[in-house]
Amino acid sequence: FIAIGHTPSTKLFAGQLNLDDSGYIVTDEKSGTSVFGVFAAGDVGGPLRKIMRDATYDIPNFNSHLYAFSTTR
């Protein structure tokens, strides 16, 4: 397994979303960010081991999060 790109490209979100000291977007256990309705997935959400863990969660559960968000509006 080869990992590249250990520096997240999240400068675009600085001041809009909470970022940790390494520049990753801070997420909750359901990949939600500090802004309601905005989710982070993939390499912007954390280091490689977190990405591997989240990948098993993000894809199957994205639709349920989207539905929950759409029904709160």
Side-chain angles (χ1 to χ4, degrees):
F1 191 83
I2 299 173
I4 59 172
H6 290 282
T7 304
S9 297
T10 55
K11 290 180 184 178
L12 169 72
F13 304 110
Q16 299 175 59
L17 299 175
N18 289 343
L19 304 177
D20 69 12
D21 292 336
S22 298
Y24 293 105
I25 297 173
V26 176
T27 60
D28 62 20
E29 67 280 354
K30 295 183 178 179
S31 300
T33 67
S34 56
V35 175
F36 180 74
V38 176
F39 298 88
D43 59 347
V44 297
L48 182 60
R49 67 180 172 277
K50 182 177 183 302
I51 294 167
M52 298 300 286
R53 183 197 73 212
D54 289 352
T56 61
Y57 179 84
D58 291 342
I59 295 168
N61 291 292
F62 180 74
N63 285 338
S64 64
H65 297 311
L66 187 58
Y67 174 78
F69 172 70
S70 68
T71 59
T72 59
R73 296 240 157 214

